Amino acid sequence: MNAAPLVLLMMGSDTDLPIMQEAADILRMFEVPYEMRIASAHRSPARTMTLASEASGRGVKIIIAGAGMAAHLAGVVASKTILPVIGVPMPGGALNGVDALYATVQMPGGIPVATMAIGKAGAKNAALFAIQILALSKPHLAELLLHYRADMDKELEQKDIALQTR
Ligand code: RP5
């Protein structure tokens, strides 16, 4: 996207991209400008901290951070900014995302991370949650969110009708 990003989507590895793409797809659908970056709390700590600490000055309003295994990305990012940080635990590894969930959600008091579900549902909800925050000051996004929910309702109703007539 060309406009200045309102949402910064960070991920610990390029292997997280297929999951984090879910978040990008939602942001694109709502025409919210975003930027996607690969930066790791462990493998590239200095660059991660620079991205986090410079985000607000670049006009970013919300950061979404997805990472797997001993997932410290969202917490480290949150420690370097007062922007809201939404964490997405990645599946995979020996514990299939439960490790990342605990690492992301169990923040010590003082540095919050809004943690979503493991995997694709979490990435999708992270983007929707970011849009809900933006919608507090952007009424057109509130409108779009209401349409999105109405469409979901309609789609499910159609599936129910199809089930009854099977
Ligand atoms: C984390 O380690 C990444 O977020 C990724 O989910 C996990 C494994 O990374 P790769 O070894 O696949 O690059 O830092």
Side-chain angles (χ1 to χ4, degrees):
M1 288 214 162
N2 289 332
L6 292 178
V7 178
L8 175 59
L9 272 179
M10 298 177 73
M11 65 201 88
S13 168
D14 60 330
T15 59
D16 300 325
L17 188 54
I19 303 286
M20 294 305 282
Q21 189 59 46
E22 293 281 325
D25 290 346
I26 292 283
L27 293 169
R28 188 176 291 271
M29 189 168 91
F30 281 80
E31 297 186 358
V32 171
Y34 65 91
E35 179 179 275
M36 268 183 144
R37 303 296 294 262
I38 296 168
S40 163
H42 303 121
R43 293 168 174 159
S44 60
R47 210 164 48 75
T48 295
M49 290 190 195
T50 303
L51 274 168
S53 58
E54 290 181 353
S56 173
R58 295 171 51 222
V60 169
K61 302 294 182 211
I62 297 151
I63 300 179
I64 297 175
M69 302 179 78
H72 294 123
L73 182 63
V76 165
V77 167
S79 76
K80 298 298 284 185
T81 180
I82 56 162
L83 293 175
V85 176
I86 306 173
V88 186
M90 292 295 120
L95 303 182
N96 205 15
V98 175
D99 42 4
L101 172 65
Y102 284 169
T104 306
V105 79
Q106 287 288 57
M107 287 297 292
I111 306 291
V113 167
T115 304
M116 301 289 125
I118 298 169
K120 285 189 174 182
K124 185 175 186 174
N125 281 345
L128 288 167
F129 195 61
I131 294 164
Q132 287 179 216
I133 297 171
L134 292 172
L136 292 171
S137 57
K138 293 183 185 296
H140 80 280
L141 287 179
E143 269 306 300
L144 289 175
L145 282 165
L146 291 173
H147 283 303
Y148 177 81
R149 291 210 175 173
D151 286 349
M152 241 181 350
D153 188 2
K154 230 177 279 165
E155 197 181 313
L156 209 61
E157 193 183 0
Q158 290 308 318
K159 286 179 179 168
D160 181 48
I161 291 168
L163 181 65
Q164 304 315 313
T165 54
R166 203 170 54 158

